[in-house]
Amino acid sequence: MKPSQIGLFGLGVMGRNLALNLEEHGNNVSVYNRQTDGEEHILTSFLENDGHGKNFDGQRTVAGFISSIESPRKVLIMVKAGQPVDDVIQELLPHLENGDILIDGGNSHFEDTERRYAELSAEGINFVGMGVSGGEEGARFGPSMMPGTTSEIWNQLKPLLEPISAQAFNGTPCVTRIGKGGAGHFVKMVHNGIEYADMQLIAEAYHIMKVDLEMDHKEMSDQFKKWNSGRLASYLFEITADILKATDTHGEPLIESILDSAGQKGTGKWTAITALKNGVPLPGITDAVTARFISSFTELRASLSETLPSHDSRDNTDKAKYLDQLADSLLASRIMCHAEGFFMITETNQNHNWGIKPGDVARIWQGGCIIRSTLLKTIVSAFEEKPDQNHLLESETIAALLKPLQMGWRQTISRSALSGIPVPVMMSSLAQYDSLRSARLPANLIQAQRDYFGAHTYERTDKPRGKFFHTDWTDGGESPP
């Protein structure tokens, strides 16, 4: 068999489907899976089933795997994030040569990617941290991919990655060089943070429709399907419509048999922690992570539901009106959560000098990935109009989109509060909007409190920035001019 254009290490669900995608687009692909107990059958099963009769070169030793790939070798690693990635690198390293390319396609933390990038560069190996989004289906038929690398290495990977990616609204591939070092995995982490917020917002809307508006599951499914045909169109709205109409073996809504305790793999938490470390406001995404934490305390919630009072002010006399307001609230909150995610990208990019272009990120998220939606088309336009903006709220396009949503947004949140229905991400998104549009916030009082109990000093509005003052507050005296 001819040398392969690329090798794929790790035949889990994502690895297997990416291998099939690469082969289907005209590549010979070498494949390898660890031959440890319990895993030795995976390679054989792949070659005898999905890979049968196709251009796959299955290898059972690392040495054979690497030698079967044309030089400079390109190896895509698809294993669990963390120590497994380091273990695979150490396993491959003795067989690699100067100029070879290792691509980590898992959900690695960007700081691990930065470390690996530096360590392998010293060995003459080009390390690429590449975020991949789209799940099992995306990997097979077209994901969104976010490689962090140099322009030179990207030019070598481009012919392999562009054909297997999804397509944006303008027909361009949903893959591009994101920046250097850990930029690719950083952007994928932020993508997942926005995904957490989007999912929580949809769950909040479902909760409102079920509890407050007393809609049945067919009505809710139909409503999400209707929304998905308009301005709220997105992959997550599409699958929610399918989920809500699914039934169990008894013909009952399957969703109601699922325990209300949401799991997570950590990328949303990483996003929130990174934002706190860098001093970037990320309230919607952070509250979405917190909501998953709260959901896991099922016994505590069950107990408190029996003892803590609530308030019920439901009024379903104009359901159509309330649904229109809910749609406004969903769109406005989604705009804010996307805006805070892109703000985190622009702010952190400046600290690391990665060279990320937010408009390119929005474009490659338009297809293949989990948060793909028509909203991203508007966000791309906003960055095209003003490429150097720090925050999407600076865009006239985004500001104009938010303006008519105000009343429905506020009415939905007010109604939910009065009905005792938790909508944490809608609430925090509105609070962020109101904070950012406020020329004056009450933080002056916080500074006075800090100076009172800790002599932390403060700046004055009538003096130049950078000049600090302290007051003896017990005397009620004015600070020296």
Side-chain angles (χ1 to χ4, degrees):
M1 189 173 183
K2 291 181 180 179
S4 297
Q5 283 80 45
I6 189 169
L8 198 142
F9 188 116
L11 292 172
V13 172
M14 291 291 287
R16 180 172 65 249
N17 283 344
L18 282 169
L20 290 166
N21 194 350
L22 284 160
E23 191 275 341
E24 194 172 79
H25 284 86
N27 300 294
N28 292 340
V29 183
S30 292
V31 290
Y32 176 83
N33 200 82
R34 282 178 163 172
Q35 299 297 294
T36 55
D37 291 345
E39 290 189 282
E40 70 277 357
H41 72 286
I42 294 175
L43 177 60
T44 300
S45 176
F46 176 78
L47 296 172
E48 290 179 352
N49 294 286
D50 290 342
H52 181 68
K54 298 178 180 178
N55 296 314
F56 290 109
D57 186 355
Q59 294 289 330
R60 299 185 186 280
T61 67
V62 171
F65 172 63
I66 295 299
S67 65
S68 68
I69 308 166
E70 66 182 19
S71 187
R73 301 174 184 89
K74 302 169 187 70
V75 180
L76 176 55
I77 303 169
M78 294 301 298
V79 299
K80 188 177 179 181
Q83 189 60 44
V85 178
D86 290 314
D87 293 343
V88 169
I89 290 171
Q90 292 307 309
E91 201 171 346
L92 295 174
L93 200 53
H95 306 281
L96 298 175
E97 297 176 351
N98 191 63
D100 286 347
I101 303 169
L102 282 184
I103 311 160
D104 174 14
N107 270 335
S108 291
H109 194 287
F110 74 93
E111 291 179 351
D112 287 336
T113 303
E114 294 266 279
R115 169 179 57 80
R116 292 164 186 149
Y117 182 88
E119 292 172 352
L120 288 168
S121 293
E123 300 283 343
I125 306 301
N126 299 294
F127 186 71
V128 180
M130 183 172 75
V132 179
S133 180
E136 180 178 355
E137 182 181 355
R140 180 65 184 88
F141 299 109
S144 172
M145 293 174 286
M146 298 147 253
T149 185
T150 64
S151 297
E152 179 187 356
I153 299 303
W154 167 237
N155 287 334
Q156 295 184 52
L157 296 177
K158 197 174 181 179
L160 285 167
L161 298 180
E162 284 192 342
I164 72 166
S165 73
Q167 290 189 342
F169 291 119
N170 64 1
T172 57
C174 287
V175 59
T176 192
R177 175 181 173 266
I178 294 299
K180 59 187 179 180
H185 275 141
F186 171 78
V187 164
K188 176 54 166 50
M189 180 190 75
V190 176
H191 165 283
N192 285 20
I194 296 172
E195 178 186 311
Y196 272 52
D198 242 357
M199 293 172 73
Q200 176 63 28
L201 283 168
I202 290 171
E204 290 172 13
Y206 153 72
H207 201 178
I208 289 170
M209 287 191 288
K210 177 188 170 186
V211 176
D212 192 359
L213 301 182
E214 299 179 320
M215 295 169 66
D216 64 33
H217 290 77
K218 183 182 183 306
E219 284 181 295
M220 290 189 285
S221 175
D222 289 345
Q223 186 62 52
F224 274 102
K225 187 175 181 180
K226 178 182 176 182
W227 282 337
N228 191 51
S229 65
R231 58 185 181 168
L232 286 167
S234 79
Y235 171 70
L236 287 169
F237 275 71
E238 176 188 339
I239 67 170
T240 301
D242 290 341
I243 289 167
L244 289 172
K245 69 181 180 183
T247 56
D248 60 19
T249 54
H250 304 290
E252 297 299 319
L254 179 58
I255 187 68
E256 300 309 325
S257 297
I258 298 175
L259 182 67
D260 58 332
S261 177
Q264 56 183 306
K265 291 187 176 179
T267 49
K269 183 169 67 173
W270 291 349
T271 312
I273 291 171
T274 303
L276 288 170
K277 284 182 178 179
N278 288 274
V280 180
L282 213 68
I285 291 171
T286 301
D287 277 347
V289 176
T290 301
R292 293 200 188 188
F293 291 154
I294 292 174
S295 76
S296 69
F297 292 93
T298 54
E299 293 182 3
L300 176 62
R301 290 189 291 111
S303 173
L304 293 177
S305 70
E306 301 291 333
T307 58
L308 293 182
S310 182
H311 180 71
D312 189 345
S313 64
R314 283 178 288 181
D315 174 10
N316 295 336
T317 53
D318 197 345
K319 187 181 292 186
K321 175 184 174 183
Y322 296 147
L323 286 170
D324 287 343
Q325 292 174 343
L326 179 56
D328 287 348
S329 185
L330 276 169
L331 182 55
S333 299
R334 291 184 66 233
I335 290 169
M336 289 306 302
C337 290
H338 280 70
E340 68 181 45
F342 278 99
F343 186 54
M344 182 173 179
I345 288 173
T346 56
E347 288 291 297
T348 312
N349 178 52
Q350 291 175 15
N351 295 337
H352 288 269
N353 195 30
W354 281 320
I356 300 172
K357 297 178 180 178
D360 286 348
V361 174
R363 180 186 61 78
I364 67 168
W365 284 353
Q366 288 178 354
C369 71
I370 303 301
I371 66 169
R372 60 186 184 266
S373 70
T374 56
L375 175 58
L376 286 161
K377 191 174 183 178
T378 305
I379 291 174
V380 168
S381 297
F383 280 117
E384 286 174 347
E385 291 167 8
K386 194 174 182 180
D388 59 346
Q389 63 189 312
N390 287 323
H391 201 289
L392 274 169
L393 291 190
E394 296 175 310
S395 161
E396 292 180 5
T397 297
I398 299 297
L401 186 57
L402 282 168
K403 187 176 181 179
L405 305 175
Q406 294 285 312
M407 186 55 68
W409 196 7
R410 297 179 189 279
Q411 291 283 8
T412 298
I413 291 168
S414 298
R415 178 184 171 92
S416 298
L418 290 170
S419 299
I421 296 174
V423 288
V425 177
M426 287 186 193
M427 284 181 170
S428 60
S429 297
L430 178 58
Q432 180 185 192
Y433 173 83
D434 283 337
S435 294
L436 288 172
R437 67 171 187 80
S438 298
R440 184 86 168 160
L441 289 170
N444 52 333
L445 179 57
I446 294 172
Q447 280 300 91
Q449 291 170 333
R450 294 179 71 243
D451 188 56
Y452 191 114
F453 64 69
H456 293 294
T457 73
Y458 55 88
E459 294 173 279
R460 292 179 60 115
T461 58
D462 56 351
K463 301 295 180 183
R465 290 298 304 265
K467 188 173 183 180
F468 293 88
F469 300 87
H470 169 60
T471 291
D472 182 353
W473 297 93
T474 55
D475 260 355
E478 171 73 22
S479 61

